[in-house]
Amino acid sequence: MKAAETCAQMGPKAKPAIHALIEALNGNYDPYDGSMNVAYCAARALSKIGLQASKVHSEQILSLTSAFKSHDESVRNFFRDLFVEMGVSAGPALIEALKQKNMNISADIIQIFARMGFYTIPFLIKALKDKYTWIHN
């Protein structure tokens, strides 16, 4: 957790740590063992670094959206907060996740974009133009 906090303080100078920070986001999340705190710190660091989502990073971020399939509302809330903390750098992966034809995932992503604010308007416009996204429903 301390390493992620240091990366957040370093900002863009910590770009070599992007892969490790994304890896810290993958895993099982238990509110009692501190893993959710580590993941949140990693997401915060990624937002401060200014993650320029390469294809590899987008795929790793996209894999995190599988958490929205959880029946545990605390896990889903945590991941909504996590993506909001990552900011618009997660936008391309979230748009890709809208193509999964899952209304729960789509609803969570729209909530994330709403919480991020007007910076996400270009992503929402793209999603509305894409005939494969489910936000039209």
Side-chain angles (χ1 to χ4, degrees):
M1 194 159 60
K2 188 72 171 163
E5 290 171 357
T6 301
C7 288
Q9 291 171 355
M10 291 175 61
K13 293 178 184 173
K15 281 190 179 187
I18 288 175
H19 181 72
L21 290 167
I22 291 174
E23 285 299 313
L25 296 175
N26 291 313
N28 297 317
Y29 298 97
D30 182 344
Y32 304 108
D33 71 1
S35 59
M36 291 176 110
N37 290 335
V38 171
Y40 193 79
C41 287
R44 183 172 182 275
L46 288 169
S47 71
K48 299 295 182 189
I49 290 170
L51 175 63
Q52 300 298 318
S54 69
K55 182 174 179 157
V56 171
H57 297 140
S58 290
E59 289 172 4
Q60 290 173 317
I61 293 169
L62 180 61
S63 72
L64 299 175
T65 62
S66 65
F68 294 133
K69 295 177 184 175
S70 173
H71 296 290
D72 184 339
E73 188 63 25
S74 67
V75 170
R76 292 177 63 193
N77 282 334
F78 169 74
F79 273 88
R80 282 191 291 265
D81 292 345
L82 187 99
F83 278 108
V84 169
E85 187 64 37
M86 288 174 73
V88 296
S89 60
L94 292 173
I95 290 295
E96 195 61 33
L98 287 172
K99 297 177 184 178
Q100 293 181 18
K101 299 181 182 181
N102 183 309
M103 292 302 287
N104 290 333
I105 291 175
S106 295
D108 285 328
I109 291 170
I110 297 305
Q111 284 182 23
I112 291 165
F113 282 148
R115 287 177 56 199
M116 285 182 189
F118 70 92
Y119 297 106
T120 62
I121 291 173
F123 295 114
L124 292 171
I125 291 170
K126 180 179 180 348
L128 287 169
K129 288 181 180 178
D130 190 339
K131 64 182 180 181
Y132 300 106
T133 62
W134 286 74
I135 64 169
H136 300 282
N137 299 333

